[in-house]
Amino acid sequence: MGYFYGCLAALSWGLKPPTITRLKTNSITIQLGTGIGVLLFAIIVFFATYNQSVTDLTSSLGGKIILLSFLSGFSWSLGQYFQFFCYKYMSTSIGFCASTAATLLSNAIVSVALFNDWSTPFQLGLGISALFVIIIGAFFTVYKQNNTNESESNTKSHKAIILGSIFALISGILFAIYSALPRYVTNQIAGTSIILPHGIGTFAGSIFVLIIYYINEYNHHRKDSSYKVQNIFNMKLVLSLIPGLLSSIANLLLIYANADVGSAIGFSLTQMSVIVSSLVSLFVLKEYKNKTQKQSAMIVIGSLIILIGGIMIGFTKM
C-alpha cells in the first residue's frame, strides 16, 4: 500500500498547480482559500486521530511539537505565495518545475547542514550528482527559443524567466524550512500529530499575507477616492479550498507511504508530481499553444531529469 499512497500523493501535488491556474482568480484569493482548506482538513484529521494526537500534543514534547509545526505551516504558506509568482511569470508547466528544482536543492542543503543526512561517501557522491542533475533539468525547463524578429518580446520573456527563477528560489527555501522543522520531533511521535498545528500555521500565514496585501493596497490607493477594496469573499474563495485540500491529502498520504515503505521510496515516489503537473499544464490547460514544439519538448525532458534527480536524492535516505 505504501507505493500506492506515494503515487496518490504525487498525483495530488501534481494536480495542485494546474488547479490553481484553472481557477483564474487572483493570488490572494487562492492564498486565503488554500489556508482555509488546509485548516479544515487538519481539524478533520485531528478528530480522526484524536487519541494519538492528544497524547502527543500534551506530552513533554507538546510545546515543541506545536511551535515547530506551526512555524512549518507558516513557512509553507509563504512559500506557496511566492510560488504563485513563478506560475505568473513562467507559466504553470515551467514554474512548478523550477519551484520543484529549487525545493529539492534547498532541502538537500538543509538536510546536509542540519541533519548530516549524507554521512557516507556513497550518499555524498550520489547526493552531489543528484544536485547537478536537478540543475540541468531546471535549465531544460526554462529554455526559451530565440527569435531574432521578436527581440523586444524576447527581452521581456528573459526578464520574466529571471523574476520567476528568483521567486522559485525563495519559495524553495521556504519549503525547505517547512520540511525541516518537523524533523526535530516526528521521529518521536506519530506523524499525524503535527497536522493540526501545521494547519493552524498555514492559515495564520495566509492571514499574514492577506494583511500585508491590504496594507500595501491602502498605501498605494489612499489618495484615490474612487478606489474600492477588493472583495475576495465570493465563490472563487470557496473553490480555492481545493488546492489546500489537495496539498493536505498529499501530505497525509506521504506520512502513510513513509511509514510503510520508508522515506527513501516514499519521497522518490512523490517526485512524480513534477511530471503530472507539467503534462496536465501543457496538454489539459493547453499551455503548449503558447510555446514552440521544441520548448514543450524541453519542458517534458526537464521534468523527467528533475524527477531522476529527486529519485537519486530519495536513495540517499536509504
Side-chain angles (χ1 to χ4, degrees):
M1 287 298 290
Y3 292 94
F4 180 66
Y5 291 143
C7 290
L8 283 182
L11 180 63
S12 293
W13 265 315
L15 288 176
K16 178 190 164 189
T19 300
I20 289 172
T21 302
R22 187 68 182 84
L23 288 174
K24 295 181 179 179
T25 187
N26 58 72
S27 58
I28 200 67
T29 300
I30 294 287
Q31 180 72 25
L32 181 59
T34 301
I36 295 171
V38 171
L39 180 59
L40 290 175
F41 188 86
I43 293 171
I44 293 171
V45 171
F46 174 76
F47 284 108
T49 59
Y50 182 80
N51 291 334
Q52 182 64 60
S53 296
V54 170
T55 299
D56 288 336
L57 295 176
T58 57
S59 68
S60 58
L61 286 173
K64 190 175 182 180
I65 295 168
I66 292 170
L67 176 61
L68 293 180
S69 301
F70 176 89
L71 293 176
S72 171
F74 197 91
S75 296
W76 184 89
S77 188
L78 296 183
Q80 177 192 242
Y81 189 65
F82 282 106
Q83 194 179 55
F84 292 155
F85 292 101
C86 299
Y87 307 154
K88 176 182 177 181
Y89 288 106
M90 304 169 77
S91 81
T92 307
S93 53
I94 299 174
F96 187 66
C97 291
S99 178
T100 300
T103 302
L104 288 169
L105 291 170
S106 301
N107 264 326
I109 293 171
V110 168
S111 295
V112 173
L114 298 183
F115 302 104
N116 195 30
D117 278 356
W118 299 348
S119 56
T120 68
F122 170 77
Q123 290 175 322
L124 188 62
L126 184 61
I128 292 174
S129 299
L131 297 184
F132 279 110
V133 169
I134 291 167
I135 291 170
I136 293 170
F139 276 113
F140 268 77
T141 60
V142 299
Y143 167 83
K144 176 68 177 177
Q145 190 169 1
N146 290 323
N147 188 330
T148 55
N149 296 324
E150 300 178 359
S151 57
E152 184 177 349
S153 176
N154 284 334
T155 299
K156 291 180 180 178
S157 177
H158 290 316
K159 287 182 179 179
I161 290 293
I162 291 171
L163 284 171
S165 298
I166 292 172
F167 286 124
L169 181 60
I170 295 172
S171 70
I173 292 171
L174 288 166
F175 284 145
I177 295 172
Y178 137 76
S179 178
L181 290 177
R183 290 187 61 182
Y184 286 103
V185 292
T186 49
N187 62 333
Q188 305 172 64
I189 62 168
T192 52
S193 298
I194 72 170
I195 289 180
L196 181 60
H198 177 273
I200 295 171
T202 300
F203 179 70
S206 297
I207 295 298
F208 174 78
V209 169
L210 187 69
I211 292 171
I212 297 299
Y213 172 81
Y214 277 120
I215 289 174
N216 182 64
E217 286 289 288
Y218 172 77
N219 289 332
H220 187 68
H221 296 284
R222 60 183 173 180
K223 295 182 180 180
D224 183 3
S225 58
S226 63
Y227 176 75
K228 293 183 179 180
V229 176
Q230 182 180 2
N231 180 21
I232 64 173
F233 296 97
N234 48 42
M235 183 53 65
K236 289 286 187 180
L237 179 62
V238 176
L239 294 175
S240 296
L241 269 64
I242 298 173
L245 295 174
L246 286 171
S247 292
S248 299
I249 291 169
N251 274 324
L252 183 62
L253 288 169
L254 179 58
I255 290 172
Y256 288 123
N258 287 345
D260 191 32
V261 297
S263 61
I265 296 175
F267 177 86
S268 299
L269 287 171
T270 60
Q271 300 315 301
M272 289 190 295
S273 61
V274 72
I275 302 296
V276 174
S277 179
S278 296
L279 294 180
V280 171
S281 299
L282 283 172
F283 300 111
V284 177
L285 299 183
K286 298 183 179 180
E287 289 186 353
Y288 69 88
K289 290 184 176 180
N290 300 321
K291 297 172 173 51
T292 64
Q293 288 185 345
K294 186 174 182 180
Q295 188 180 14
S296 296
M298 294 288 271
I299 292 170
V300 174
I301 293 170
S303 300
L304 289 169
I305 294 173
I306 292 171
L307 171 63
I308 292 169
I311 292 171
M312 291 170 66
I313 288 180
F315 280 107
T316 65
K317 299 174 182 290
M318 296 184 73

